[in-house]
Amino acid sequence: VPGERYETMTLPILSPDPNTSKDIDFGKELFYFGGNRGRGQVYPEGNQSNNNQFFAKETGTITAVDGLKVSIQKEDGSTFEQEVLPGAQIVVEAGEQVKKDDPITTNPNVGGFGQA
């Protein structure tokens, strides 16, 4: 979530209508609120963290998996190297065909605290 776009929060507050009930007194109260921007899945610069599942950025054939780099040979013969961050396991192997946006790692957010 871009911080510049969402730097203010508007909270709706329900209050009784003094026109319908005259025995209502109003007072002033101070309260604080904040927001949780998630578990750091996307940094403010837009790059992903290691709490993300990574997806193929190109269509083609996996030619190599070297540590955290996955090489994809595109249909035009050029090779695209995609780097993933530590945290999730790479689930593709050399020789596999992938389409753009196919998952190439496990989802590290699944499995804890009753998640499916």
Side-chain angles (χ1 to χ4, degrees), residues 24-55:
I24 298 172
D25 294 323
F26 288 93
K28 291 185 177 182
E29 296 292 328
L30 180 64
F31 69 96
Y32 298 93
F33 66 93
N36 183 349
R37 295 186 64 168
R39 294 170 48 192
Q41 283 86 354
V42 178
Y43 292 112
E45 299 84 24
N47 53 328
Q48 291 184 320
S49 74
N50 62 348
N51 272 347
N52 283 291
Q53 183 174 21
F54 287 84
F55 299 91

mmCIF file of all heavy atoms in Angstrom, residues 24-55:
data_model
loop_
_atom_site.group_PDB
_atom_site.id
_atom_site.type_symbol
_atom_site.label_atom_id
_atom_site.label_comp_id
_atom_site.label_asym_id
_atom_site.label_seq_id
_atom_site.Cartn_x
_atom_site.Cartn_y
_atom_site.Cartn_z
ATOM 1 N N ILE A 24 -29.764 13.156 25.688
ATOM 2 C CA ILE A 24 -28.421 12.680 25.370
ATOM 3 C C ILE A 24 -27.418 13.792 25.634
ATOM 4 O O ILE A 24 -27.598 14.931 25.205
ATOM 5 C CB ILE A 24 -28.333 12.223 23.900
ATOM 6 C CG1 ILE A 24 -29.280 11.052 23.662
ATOM 7 C CG2 ILE A 24 -26.911 11.855 23.532
ATOM 8 C CD1 ILE A 24 -29.395 10.663 22.214
ATOM 9 N N ASP A 25 -26.378 13.471 26.382
ATOM 10 C CA ASP A 25 -25.301 14.419 26.643
ATOM 11 C C ASP A 25 -24.088 14.027 25.805
ATOM 12 O O ASP A 25 -23.787 12.852 25.634
ATOM 13 C CB ASP A 25 -24.911 14.406 28.127
ATOM 14 C CG ASP A 25 -26.029 14.926 29.004
ATOM 15 O OD1 ASP A 25 -26.727 15.867 28.576
ATOM 16 O OD2 ASP A 25 -26.211 14.377 30.104
ATOM 17 N N PHE A 26 -23.397 15.027 25.285
ATOM 18 C CA PHE A 26 -22.201 14.772 24.499
ATOM 19 C C PHE A 26 -20.983 15.268 25.260
ATOM 20 O O PHE A 26 -21.032 16.276 25.953
ATOM 21 C CB PHE A 26 -22.269 15.473 23.140
ATOM 22 C CG PHE A 26 -23.243 14.843 22.192
ATOM 23 C CD1 PHE A 26 -24.544 15.293 22.099
ATOM 24 C CD2 PHE A 26 -22.845 13.784 21.407
ATOM 25 C CE1 PHE A 26 -25.432 14.708 21.230
ATOM 26 C CE2 PHE A 26 -23.729 13.187 20.534
ATOM 27 C CZ PHE A 26 -25.029 13.656 20.446
ATOM 28 N N GLY A 27 -19.915 14.569 25.146
ATOM 29 C CA GLY A 27 -18.664 14.982 25.757
ATOM 30 C C GLY A 27 -17.551 14.867 24.733
ATOM 31 O O GLY A 27 -17.749 14.363 23.622
ATOM 32 N N LYS A 28 -16.390 15.327 25.101
ATOM 33 C CA LYS A 28 -15.234 15.226 24.212
ATOM 34 C C LYS A 28 -14.302 14.175 24.773
ATOM 35 O O LYS A 28 -13.981 14.180 25.960
ATOM 36 C CB LYS A 28 -14.508 16.565 24.105
ATOM 37 C CG LYS A 28 -15.296 17.617 23.366
ATOM 38 C CD LYS A 28 -14.475 18.864 23.180
ATOM 39 C CE LYS A 28 -15.259 19.872 22.361
ATOM 40 N NZ LYS A 28 -14.479 21.079 22.110
ATOM 41 N N GLU A 29 -13.870 13.306 23.916
ATOM 42 C CA GLU A 29 -12.935 12.255 24.293
ATOM 43 C C GLU A 29 -11.771 12.263 23.311
ATOM 44 O O GLU A 29 -11.945 12.538 22.125
ATOM 45 C CB GLU A 29 -13.596 10.876 24.263
ATOM 46 C CG GLU A 29 -14.712 10.687 25.247
ATOM 47 C CD GLU A 29 -14.232 10.669 26.681
ATOM 48 O OE1 GLU A 29 -13.093 10.214 26.932
ATOM 49 O OE2 GLU A 29 -14.990 11.106 27.553
ATOM 50 N N LEU A 30 -10.618 11.948 23.808
ATOM 51 C CA LEU A 30 -9.427 11.857 22.974
ATOM 52 C C LEU A 30 -9.126 10.374 22.754
ATOM 53 O O LEU A 30 -9.122 9.592 23.702
ATOM 54 C CB LEU A 30 -8.245 12.535 23.672
ATOM 55 C CG LEU A 30 -6.916 12.536 22.924
ATOM 56 C CD1 LEU A 30 -7.039 13.347 21.641
ATOM 57 C CD2 LEU A 30 -5.834 13.118 23.804
ATOM 58 N N PHE A 31 -8.938 9.988 21.524
ATOM 59 C CA PHE A 31 -8.537 8.612 21.256
ATOM 60 C C PHE A 31 -7.517 8.607 20.135
ATOM 61 O O PHE A 31 -7.435 9.518 19.323
ATOM 62 C CB PHE A 31 -9.743 7.712 20.944
ATOM 63 C CG PHE A 31 -10.430 8.001 19.640
ATOM 64 C CD1 PHE A 31 -10.108 7.277 18.500
ATOM 65 C CD2 PHE A 31 -11.401 8.988 19.547
ATOM 66 C CE1 PHE A 31 -10.733 7.538 17.300
ATOM 67 C CE2 PHE A 31 -12.027 9.250 18.351
ATOM 68 C CZ PHE A 31 -11.703 8.524 17.230
ATOM 69 N N TYR A 32 -6.719 7.559 20.126
ATOM 70 C CA TYR A 32 -5.653 7.397 19.145
ATOM 71 C C TYR A 32 -5.946 6.152 18.310
ATOM 72 O O TYR A 32 -6.493 5.178 18.807
ATOM 73 C CB TYR A 32 -4.297 7.229 19.834
ATOM 74 C CG TYR A 32 -3.909 8.426 20.660
ATOM 75 C CD1 TYR A 32 -4.213 8.483 22.014
ATOM 76 C CD2 TYR A 32 -3.237 9.487 20.086
ATOM 77 C CE1 TYR A 32 -3.870 9.584 22.774
ATOM 78 C CE2 TYR A 32 -2.882 10.594 20.832
ATOM 79 C CZ TYR A 32 -3.201 10.638 22.178
ATOM 80 O OH TYR A 32 -2.854 11.719 22.913
ATOM 81 N N PHE A 33 -5.576 6.190 17.080
ATOM 82 C CA PHE A 33 -5.720 5.017 16.230
ATOM 83 C C PHE A 33 -4.499 4.914 15.338
ATOM 84 O O PHE A 33 -3.777 5.868 15.115
ATOM 85 C CB PHE A 33 -7.011 5.058 15.409
ATOM 86 C CG PHE A 33 -7.064 6.158 14.382
ATOM 87 C CD1 PHE A 33 -6.655 5.929 13.081
ATOM 88 C CD2 PHE A 33 -7.514 7.423 14.721
ATOM 89 C CE1 PHE A 33 -6.686 6.935 12.141
ATOM 90 C CE2 PHE A 33 -7.559 8.436 13.779
ATOM 91 C CZ PHE A 33 -7.151 8.197 12.489
ATOM 92 N N GLY A 34 -4.283 3.705 14.868
ATOM 93 C CA GLY A 34 -3.147 3.457 13.985
ATOM 94 C C GLY A 34 -3.509 2.379 12.993
ATOM 95 O O GLY A 34 -4.608 1.838 13.021
ATOM 96 N N GLY A 35 -2.599 2.086 12.145
ATOM 97 C CA GLY A 35 -2.855 1.070 11.143
ATOM 98 C C GLY A 35 -1.685 0.121 11.015
ATOM 99 O O GLY A 35 -0.542 0.470 11.268
ATOM 100 N N ASN A 36 -2.003 -1.097 10.649
ATOM 101 C CA ASN A 36 -0.991 -2.107 10.407
ATOM 102 C C ASN A 36 -0.884 -2.288 8.912
ATOM 103 O O ASN A 36 -1.866 -2.593 8.248
ATOM 104 C CB ASN A 36 -1.398 -3.418 11.085
ATOM 105 C CG ASN A 36 -0.356 -4.489 10.937
ATOM 106 O OD1 ASN A 36 0.588 -4.346 10.174
ATOM 107 N ND2 ASN A 36 -0.522 -5.570 11.656
ATOM 108 N N ARG A 37 0.297 -2.099 8.380
ATOM 109 C CA ARG A 37 0.490 -2.207 6.932
ATOM 110 C C ARG A 37 0.844 -3.621 6.517
ATOM 111 O O ARG A 37 1.460 -3.854 5.499
ATOM 112 C CB ARG A 37 1.565 -1.238 6.482
ATOM 113 C CG ARG A 37 1.117 0.196 6.699
ATOM 114 C CD ARG A 37 2.089 1.149 6.145
ATOM 115 N NE ARG A 37 2.146 0.976 4.696
ATOM 116 C CZ ARG A 37 2.742 1.811 3.899
ATOM 117 N NH1 ARG A 37 3.326 2.871 4.373
ATOM 118 N NH2 ARG A 37 2.776 1.596 2.618
ATOM 119 N N GLY A 38 0.464 -4.598 7.303
ATOM 120 C CA GLY A 38 0.691 -5.984 6.926
ATOM 121 C C GLY A 38 1.985 -6.519 7.477
ATOM 122 O O GLY A 38 2.569 -5.978 8.407
ATOM 123 N N ARG A 39 2.448 -7.608 6.920
ATOM 124 C CA ARG A 39 3.643 -8.291 7.388
ATOM 125 C C ARG A 39 4.844 -7.961 6.520
ATOM 126 O O ARG A 39 5.777 -8.733 6.424
ATOM 127 C CB ARG A 39 3.393 -9.798 7.397
ATOM 128 C CG ARG A 39 2.347 -10.187 8.413
ATOM 129 C CD ARG A 39 1.908 -11.617 8.295
ATOM 130 N NE ARG A 39 3.003 -12.552 8.206
ATOM 131 C CZ ARG A 39 2.844 -13.812 7.867
ATOM 132 N NH1 ARG A 39 1.657 -14.276 7.596
ATOM 133 N NH2 ARG A 39 3.862 -14.608 7.793
ATOM 134 N N GLY A 40 4.838 -6.849 5.867
ATOM 135 C CA GLY A 40 5.990 -6.450 5.073
ATOM 136 C C GLY A 40 6.081 -7.118 3.729
ATOM 137 O O GLY A 40 7.160 -7.251 3.170
ATOM 138 N N GLN A 41 4.950 -7.580 3.178
ATOM 139 C CA GLN A 41 4.993 -8.282 1.902
ATOM 140 C C GLN A 41 5.486 -7.404 0.759
ATOM 141 O O GLN A 41 6.138 -7.876 -0.151
ATOM 142 C CB GLN A 41 3.612 -8.850 1.544
ATOM 143 C CG GLN A 41 3.266 -10.095 2.308
ATOM 144 C CD GLN A 41 2.643 -9.803 3.658
ATOM 145 O OE1 GLN A 41 2.561 -8.663 4.092
ATOM 146 N NE2 GLN A 41 2.219 -10.825 4.348
ATOM 147 N N VAL A 42 5.169 -6.126 0.796
ATOM 148 C CA VAL A 42 5.625 -5.214 -0.240
ATOM 149 C C VAL A 42 6.185 -3.977 0.458
ATOM 150 O O VAL A 42 5.520 -3.366 1.265
ATOM 151 C CB VAL A 42 4.492 -4.817 -1.202
ATOM 152 C CG1 VAL A 42 4.982 -3.835 -2.248
ATOM 153 C CG2 VAL A 42 3.909 -6.040 -1.873
ATOM 154 N N TYR A 43 7.408 -3.648 0.145
ATOM 155 C CA TYR A 43 8.030 -2.474 0.734
ATOM 156 C C TYR A 43 7.508 -1.207 0.065
ATOM 157 O O TYR A 43 6.967 -1.265 -1.040
ATOM 158 C CB TYR A 43 9.551 -2.571 0.593
ATOM 159 C CG TYR A 43 10.147 -3.675 1.424
ATOM 160 C CD1 TYR A 43 10.715 -4.794 0.830
ATOM 161 C CD2 TYR A 43 10.130 -3.606 2.802
ATOM 162 C CE1 TYR A 43 11.258 -5.809 1.594
ATOM 163 C CE2 TYR A 43 10.665 -4.618 3.579
ATOM 164 C CZ TYR A 43 11.230 -5.710 2.974
ATOM 165 O OH TYR A 43 11.754 -6.710 3.742
ATOM 166 N N PRO A 44 7.670 -0.052 0.711
ATOM 167 C CA PRO A 44 7.168 1.192 0.113
ATOM 168 C C PRO A 44 7.710 1.466 -1.289
ATOM 169 O O PRO A 44 7.058 2.120 -2.087
ATOM 170 C CB PRO A 44 7.643 2.264 1.096
ATOM 171 C CG PRO A 44 7.782 1.562 2.390
ATOM 172 C CD PRO A 44 8.214 0.159 2.040
ATOM 173 N N GLU A 45 8.890 0.939 -1.604
ATOM 174 C CA GLU A 45 9.465 1.137 -2.939
ATOM 175 C C GLU A 45 8.796 0.244 -3.977
ATOM 176 O O GLU A 45 9.048 0.369 -5.160
ATOM 177 C CB GLU A 45 10.972 0.836 -2.934
ATOM 178 C CG GLU A 45 11.785 1.719 -2.013
ATOM 179 C CD GLU A 45 11.794 1.219 -0.569
ATOM 180 O OE1 GLU A 45 11.584 0.016 -0.331
ATOM 181 O OE2 GLU A 45 11.980 2.043 0.315
ATOM 182 N N GLY A 46 7.979 -0.713 -3.528
ATOM 183 C CA GLY A 46 7.279 -1.600 -4.450
ATOM 184 C C GLY A 46 7.912 -2.967 -4.616
ATOM 185 O O GLY A 46 7.328 -3.847 -5.232
ATOM 186 N N ASN A 47 9.123 -3.188 -4.079
ATOM 187 C CA ASN A 47 9.751 -4.494 -4.218
ATOM 188 C C ASN A 47 9.198 -5.457 -3.159
ATOM 189 O O ASN A 47 8.764 -5.050 -2.095
ATOM 190 C CB ASN A 47 11.280 -4.392 -4.137
ATOM 191 C CG ASN A 47 11.747 -3.656 -2.907
ATOM 192 O OD1 ASN A 47 11.090 -2.757 -2.421
ATOM 193 N ND2 ASN A 47 12.899 -4.037 -2.403
ATOM 194 N N GLN A 48 9.205 -6.740 -3.496
ATOM 195 C CA GLN A 48 8.651 -7.751 -2.603
ATOM 196 C C GLN A 48 9.634 -8.131 -1.516
ATOM 197 O O GLN A 48 10.841 -8.007 -1.679
ATOM 198 C CB GLN A 48 8.288 -9.004 -3.392
ATOM 199 C CG GLN A 48 7.117 -8.808 -4.326
ATOM 200 C CD GLN A 48 6.753 -10.094 -5.010
ATOM 201 O OE1 GLN A 48 7.609 -10.862 -5.410
ATOM 202 N NE2 GLN A 48 5.465 -10.339 -5.153
ATOM 203 N N SER A 49 9.092 -8.629 -0.409
ATOM 204 C CA SER A 49 9.932 -9.159 0.656
ATOM 205 C C SER A 49 9.929 -10.679 0.550
ATOM 206 O O SER A 49 9.311 -11.259 -0.336
ATOM 207 C CB SER A 49 9.405 -8.734 2.021
ATOM 208 O OG SER A 49 8.242 -9.475 2.345
ATOM 209 N N ASN A 50 10.586 -11.338 1.505
ATOM 210 C CA ASN A 50 10.638 -12.797 1.459
ATOM 211 C C ASN A 50 9.376 -13.430 2.026
ATOM 212 O O ASN A 50 9.318 -14.633 2.192
ATOM 213 C CB ASN A 50 11.885 -13.318 2.184
ATOM 214 C CG ASN A 50 11.890 -12.951 3.649
ATOM 215 O OD1 ASN A 50 11.098 -12.125 4.100
ATOM 216 N ND2 ASN A 50 12.780 -13.552 4.396
ATOM 217 N N ASN A 51 8.349 -12.648 2.342
ATOM 218 C CA ASN A 51 7.061 -13.195 2.777
ATOM 219 C C ASN A 51 6.126 -13.392 1.594
ATOM 220 O O ASN A 51 4.930 -13.473 1.776
ATOM 221 C CB ASN A 51 6.392 -12.250 3.782
ATOM 222 C CG ASN A 51 6.830 -12.534 5.191
ATOM 223 O OD1 ASN A 51 7.436 -13.560 5.456
ATOM 224 N ND2 ASN A 51 6.528 -11.636 6.093
ATOM 225 N N ASN A 52 6.638 -13.423 0.397
ATOM 226 C CA ASN A 52 5.821 -13.534 -0.798
ATOM 227 C C ASN A 52 6.063 -14.829 -1.536
ATOM 228 O O ASN A 52 7.151 -15.372 -1.525
ATOM 229 C CB ASN A 52 6.145 -12.393 -1.764
ATOM 230 C CG ASN A 52 5.527 -11.105 -1.341
ATOM 231 O OD1 ASN A 52 4.319 -10.973 -1.388
ATOM 232 N ND2 ASN A 52 6.331 -10.166 -0.905
ATOM 233 N N GLN A 53 5.022 -15.265 -2.217
ATOM 234 C CA GLN A 53 5.185 -16.334 -3.190
ATOM 235 C C GLN A 53 5.630 -15.657 -4.487
ATOM 236 O O GLN A 53 5.101 -14.621 -4.868
ATOM 237 C CB GLN A 53 3.868 -17.071 -3.397
ATOM 238 C CG GLN A 53 3.979 -18.232 -4.349
ATOM 239 C CD GLN A 53 2.688 -19.033 -4.416
ATOM 240 O OE1 GLN A 53 1.624 -18.538 -4.082
ATOM 241 N NE2 GLN A 53 2.792 -20.260 -4.845
ATOM 242 N N PHE A 54 6.615 -16.242 -5.149
ATOM 243 C CA PHE A 54 7.123 -15.652 -6.381
ATOM 244 C C PHE A 54 6.546 -16.384 -7.580
ATOM 245 O O PHE A 54 6.362 -17.595 -7.565
ATOM 246 C CB PHE A 54 8.651 -15.704 -6.399
ATOM 247 C CG PHE A 54 9.264 -14.714 -5.450
ATOM 248 C CD1 PHE A 54 9.433 -15.020 -4.113
ATOM 249 C CD2 PHE A 54 9.636 -13.462 -5.891
ATOM 250 C CE1 PHE A 54 9.979 -14.104 -3.229
ATOM 251 C CE2 PHE A 54 10.181 -12.534 -5.022
ATOM 252 C CZ PHE A 54 10.351 -12.861 -3.685
ATOM 253 N N PHE A 55 6.270 -15.621 -8.629
ATOM 254 C CA PHE A 55 5.650 -16.136 -9.842
ATOM 255 C C PHE A 55 6.556 -15.860 -11.030
ATOM 256 O O PHE A 55 7.307 -14.878 -11.034
ATOM 257 C CB PHE A 55 4.287 -15.463 -10.058
ATOM 258 C CG PHE A 55 3.326 -15.720 -8.933
ATOM 259 C CD1 PHE A 55 3.248 -14.852 -7.859
ATOM 260 C CD2 PHE A 55 2.527 -16.842 -8.935
ATOM 261 C CE1 PHE A 55 2.383 -15.082 -6.812
ATOM 262 C CE2 PHE A 55 1.650 -17.091 -7.889
ATOM 263 C CZ PHE A 55 1.576 -16.209 -6.827
#
